[in-house]
Amino acid sequence: MSSNLHPAVEKTKRWLEEIVIGLNFCPFAKKEFVNNTIHYHASKHGMIEQALHELAEQMQFLIEHPEIETSLVVYATGFRDFGRYLDLVDYANDLLVSLELEGEIQIASFHPDYIFEGESEQSPSNYTNRSPFPTIHLIREPSMEKVLAVYKNPEQIPQDNIELAHEKGVKFFKQFLASVHKM
């Protein structure tokens, strides 16, 4: 890993490579990782207004750089509280609408304490969206639509991920995330 990267980005890249790609949680991530078409941005913001301004800049960056397929905005210090992070995600989706980028960019979210609605805090399924740092993933929607159109049974991906997360178990994911933070 490159030493000029922010430590939160290095740790996120390791999670992406070993968990998201390694466990095939996202069957589309490997190509972009290998082709180096993922933009990583380490944010130092912890206040919603500043973070939204930065997200608008990152959305614009993605639009202006067609060679970049997707972006990860990694919150190195802010939004550790999951409820506060969910507020940011809600505002980010509103921002997407106000910037008239619906149909161009989609938002996916990852957080160290991610809990799916209706799941217990200890459910292994939460680890399909648990990351080393709070992260907003900006996805080019037309590209995702193209990939999904040729992927067999894309609606099965979340269920497959949940089953694999249960097979691996909470201990596996906790150990991995602890090892990432020791880097």
Side-chain angles (χ1 to χ4, degrees):
M1 299 200 174
S2 174
S3 61
N4 64 347
L5 291 178
H6 189 285
V9 169
E10 285 191 36
K11 293 171 183 186
T12 297
K13 285 181 83 169
R14 181 169 169 219
W15 163 76
L16 184 62
E17 186 173 27
E18 294 186 31
I19 299 297
V20 176
I21 295 169
L23 297 179
N24 203 31
F25 278 166
C26 177
F28 320 116
K30 184 176 183 177
K31 176 184 173 214
E32 305 314 329
F33 189 82
V34 169
N35 290 340
N36 201 28
T37 56
I38 301 171
H39 173 71
Y40 303 89
H41 177 78
S43 174
K44 296 176 184 154
H45 295 297
M47 302 301 289
I48 287 181
E49 188 175 325
Q50 294 168 323
L52 289 173
H53 178 73
E54 181 179 56
L55 270 173
E57 291 172 348
Q58 290 302 307
M59 289 176 190
Q60 191 60 41
F61 179 87
L62 187 60
I63 295 297
E64 292 173 358
H65 291 86
E67 72 278 9
I68 301 296
E69 195 58 46
T70 191
S71 294
L72 294 173
V73 180
V74 180
Y75 295 92
T77 56
F79 301 101
R80 291 300 189 163
D81 177 79
F82 185 55
R84 194 159 146 64
Y85 171 77
L86 289 178
D87 290 342
L88 174 64
V89 172
D90 285 343
Y91 286 122
N93 280 305
D94 292 343
L95 177 66
L96 196 66
V97 172
S98 71
L99 294 175
E100 299 179 353
L101 292 174
E102 286 179 298
E104 293 296 319
I105 296 176
Q106 247 178 52
I107 293 175
S109 60
F110 301 92
H111 191 278
D113 297 323
Y114 202 97
I115 301 171
F116 285 104
E117 188 173 339
E119 289 290 328
S120 78
E121 187 176 329
Q122 296 304 315
S123 175
S125 64
N126 295 319
Y127 285 91
T128 63
N129 281 57
R130 285 196 179 171
S131 55
F133 296 90
T135 301
I136 290 185
H137 183 190
L138 303 175
I139 306 162
R140 288 186 186 278
E141 195 165 322
S143 298
M144 182 56 68
E145 287 172 357
K146 274 202 256 183
V147 170
L148 290 174
V150 297
Y151 190 82
K152 186 179 175 187
N153 300 322
E155 65 282 350
Q156 188 61 38
I157 295 169
Q159 188 57 43
D160 291 345
N161 290 348
I162 290 168
E163 289 173 14
L164 179 57
H166 280 272
E167 285 175 30
K168 290 291 189 183
V170 169
K171 183 179 178 183
F172 169 83
F173 292 105
K174 281 186 174 182
Q175 287 175 338
F176 174 79
L177 289 171
S179 75
V180 165
H181 283 291
K182 289 180 183 175
M183 289 176 49

